[in-house]
Amino acid sequence: MALQSEEKPHCMRDLFTLCCQLSALSGEDRNQMTRQKTCRLMAAAASLQVARKCLNEQEQRNALEDALYHVEECKRLCNQLEMNILSAAESKTKDTTEILLLLYEFEARVKLKDQHVEEILETALKLPNPDPKTFETIAALAVEEPAQNKSMSVRALKVAIRKHLQMPTPDYIRCSKLFHSLIQLALSSGVELSGKDEAWNYFVEVIEVIDKTEQGQFPEIEILWLMTKAWNCGINFYSSGRYEEAEKWCATSMKLFQYLGSMKSNYEDHMNNTYAEILAKIESSKPKKVFKGQEE
C-alpha cells in the first residue's frame, strides 16, 4: 500500500512508519531489522517529499524534522546490522543506503538552516571514492527553497568539478554544466563587483580545462554561453566607462571565441570590431606622456 501511494507522500510516510512499528513487534532478528531499515529509509524520503509540497512554513519544518528522525532511526538500524558480517551484495546495498541517508539528512538540515549542515559535506568528502554526482546533488539541494545556501552550493560544485576532472575519462559534458552553475551563482550573488571577480576566476579555470580537451569534447553550446556571458560583462563595464575591466572581460570572451567551431563565423566580425573599439578607447583614455622637449 505504501508503494502505491506515490502521489500521496503523506500517506506513504505514514504507511512506511506503520510498517516499521509492526516490524519491530516481530522481534529484532536480522530480516526484521533489514525490513525496518528499508521502511525508515522510505519514510525519510516520503517526509522530504511532503516538505517539498508544503506551503505552510511550520508544516514544512515538521516534515523536515520527521525526515531527520527517520534518518537517525535508519542509521541506528544500519549500525546494528553492521555488527554482523556482510556479504558482497549486502555491502553494495549498505553503500547505497549510506549515500541516500547522507543526502536525505543534508536536504533536511540545509532547509532547516541547521548549523551542522557543513558536517554532512565533510562526511561526504571522507567517503571512499565518492561519486561526483553526490556533490552535484548536494549543490542543487543547497539552493532549493527555503535553503538558498549559495556558499554551500558553490563549495559542492567545486568538489564535483574536481572529482570529475580526476576521473580517468572526465565527463566534460557534466563539467561544463557544473561550471555553468558555478558562474551563474557568482554572477547572481547580488554583490556586483565581487561577484564578477569570483566569476572571472571560474572563467580562468574553465578556459584551462577547455584548453586541455580535444575539439568537440567540451560542448560548443556551453563555450558559446561562457563567451556570451564574459562578453556581456565586458560590455557592461565598457558602457559605464570602466575600460580596463571591459578589456579584461572582452579578452576572456575572445579567448573562448577561439574554441568555437561551426558557430564561429556568426560572431567573428561583430566581436573583432567591438573589441578593437574597446582597445582604442582604453588607449585614448590613458594619460598622455609629456617629453622634456615638449614642456612649456
Side-chain angles (χ1 to χ4, degrees), residues 269-295:
D269 289 343
H270 173 70
M271 289 183 69
N272 283 333
N273 292 337
T274 307
Y275 188 52
E277 184 182 329
I278 290 169
L279 292 177
K281 199 77 174 179
I282 292 169
E283 190 61 34
S284 66
S285 68
K286 290 179 180 177
K288 299 285 189 258
K289 291 182 179 179
V290 179
F291 297 100
K292 286 185 178 180
Q294 296 175 322
E295 291 178 352

Side-chain angles (χ1 to χ4, degrees), residues 21 24 34 82 92 96 99 103 138 173 214 230 235 247 256 271 296:
Q21 293 166 347
T34 301
E82 274 182 27
K92 188 175 180 180
T96 305
I99 296 297
L103 292 174
I138 287 173
I173 293 175
E214 295 180 11
I235 295 303
E247 194 278 330
L256 288 159
M271 289 183 69
E296 293 183 2

Side-chain angles (χ1 to χ4, degrees), residues 166-206:
Q166 288 171 348
M167 294 285 187
T169 307
D171 185 341
Y172 290 112
I173 293 175
R174 289 303 312 152
C175 280
S176 72
K177 294 183 185 303
L178 295 173
F179 271 114
H180 185 128
S181 298
L182 198 55
I183 289 166
Q184 195 79 303
L185 278 174
L187 292 176
S188 63
S189 66
V191 185
E192 184 180 351
L193 196 55
S194 63
K196 281 190 168 70
D197 285 343
E198 183 185 353
W200 189 76
N201 290 330
Y202 301 146
F203 272 98
V204 172
E205 289 178 29
V206 75

Side-chain angles (χ1 to χ4, degrees), residues 92 95-96 98-100 102-103 120-140 155-171 174-175 178:
K92 188 175 180 180
D95 291 341
T96 305
E98 186 177 15
I99 296 297
L100 288 173
L102 184 145
L103 292 174
I120 304 170
L121 183 56
E122 294 299 329
T123 301
L125 287 166
K126 292 174 185 175
L127 292 172
N129 303 314
D131 191 326
K133 290 179 182 177
T134 300
F135 299 98
E136 292 179 35
T137 304
I138 287 173
R155 190 178 171 201
L157 284 168
K158 288 179 179 178
V159 173
I161 290 169
R162 187 172 72 246
K163 296 292 180 187
H164 272 298
L165 294 176
Q166 288 171 348
M167 294 285 187
T169 307
D171 185 341
R174 289 303 312 152
C175 280
L178 295 173

Side-chain angles (χ1 to χ4, degrees), residues 6 11 15 19 22 27 34 46 61 72 82 93 114 136 146 172 182 205 213 218 221 235 251 284:
E6 190 175 348
C11 291
L15 287 167
C19 287
L22 292 172
T34 301
R61 188 172 188 84
E72 291 304 319
E82 274 182 27
T93 304
D114 190 297
E136 292 179 35
Y172 290 112
L182 198 55
E205 289 178 29
T213 62
F218 202 96
I221 193 69
I235 295 303
S284 66

